[in-house]
Amino acid sequence: MIVCIKTKFSEKEMKKLGNPKPYHMFLGRLMTYLAFAVVQSLIIGVGDLLIMDIQCYNVFLFLFACVFIGIVFTIIIYTFQFSFGDIGKAIIVITMILQIGATGGLYPIECVPEFFQNLYPYLPFTYAINAIRECVSGFYGADFWKYILCLVVYIPIMLLIGLVIRLPFAKLINHFEESKERSDIIL
């Protein structure tokens, strides 16, 4: 979605909207992203169930987890892109690469290097993978809800970054984006 839907508003759009406040722009465009995320997550979850024919212990919670995980990751990705532009895209890519190795998605966490084991508890993929595993394999106590709650923690952190922390960096990021545009080298 980051490639297909703009995160920034043009001057023309801002005038048309009556010069909205920065938080209006952040939250308004976020709603568009979240609508797409819900649809995309449902398509993936239903596709897993019907096309890939996965065995699933609890279909309803599996679909709930898919949608919720989609929402959380969309907020994370959108926040970095909106707040930091192309630098945010780089942060997203680096984070995704780290998460693949450090969350037990490829190998059990005990089998990966210590560096990844130390990152494990701080990455949202950890809790997303474990929540999906609970839905597919069966539940162990209230672990599913613990994983969902751990994912909830990332939402206010990202909103804080997107609504408050990015403001002191806005001029620097805009300068970087304008320099990039003038260079005619980078897309």
Side-chain angles (χ1 to χ4, degrees):
M1 287 186 290
I2 292 293
V3 174
C4 298
I5 304 170
K6 297 185 306 183
T7 55
K8 300 288 184 182
F9 289 79
S10 68
E11 292 295 322
K12 182 180 174 184
E13 289 175 309
M14 288 178 55
K15 286 180 183 176
K16 186 178 177 182
L17 294 170
N19 293 321
K21 302 221 182 293
Y23 68 90
H24 289 142
M25 294 185 299
F26 176 82
L27 294 173
R29 192 73 87 199
L30 176 61
M31 294 304 132
T32 303
Y33 275 82
L34 290 177
F36 280 104
V38 169
V39 171
Q40 186 179 33
S41 299
L42 283 172
I43 290 170
I44 291 169
V46 170
D48 286 346
L49 294 168
L50 299 179
I51 297 170
M52 295 183 68
D53 197 30
I54 66 165
Q55 293 180 332
C56 189
Y57 185 78
N58 189 315
V59 172
F60 173 76
L61 287 180
F62 174 77
L63 291 174
F64 168 77
C66 287
V67 170
F68 188 73
I69 290 165
I71 288 170
V72 171
F73 277 90
T74 297
I75 291 171
I76 292 169
I77 291 167
Y78 173 80
T79 297
F80 281 114
Q81 167 62 23
F82 185 90
S83 300
F84 306 114
D86 288 335
I87 296 169
K89 285 182 186 178
I91 292 169
I92 293 163
V93 169
I94 291 166
T95 304
M96 292 301 293
I97 291 167
L98 285 173
Q99 287 192 109
I100 290 170
T103 57
L106 296 175
Y107 300 105
I109 195 63
E110 297 80 15
C111 297
V112 298
E114 187 177 339
F115 171 76
F116 291 129
Q117 290 179 21
N118 293 333
L119 283 177
Y120 178 79
Y122 303 105
L123 298 173
F125 244 38
T126 300
Y127 307 105
I129 289 171
N130 288 333
I132 293 293
R133 282 183 183 150
E134 291 279 317
C135 294
V136 170
S137 304
F139 299 99
Y140 183 76
D143 282 357
F144 173 79
W145 296 108
K146 289 178 194 172
Y147 299 136
I148 294 296
L149 189 59
C150 288
L151 287 170
V152 168
V153 170
Y154 289 92
I155 295 172
I157 293 169
M158 290 300 115
L159 293 177
L160 180 68
I161 290 170
L163 295 170
V164 178
I165 294 176
R166 78 174 178 85
L167 295 176
F169 300 102
K171 287 183 181 177
L172 179 64
I173 299 299
N174 286 339
H175 177 69
F176 176 78
E177 296 287 322
E178 289 170 4
S179 296
K180 182 193 79 153
E181 294 283 329
R182 285 193 307 267
S183 74
D184 289 332
I185 295 174
I186 304 172
L187 294 175

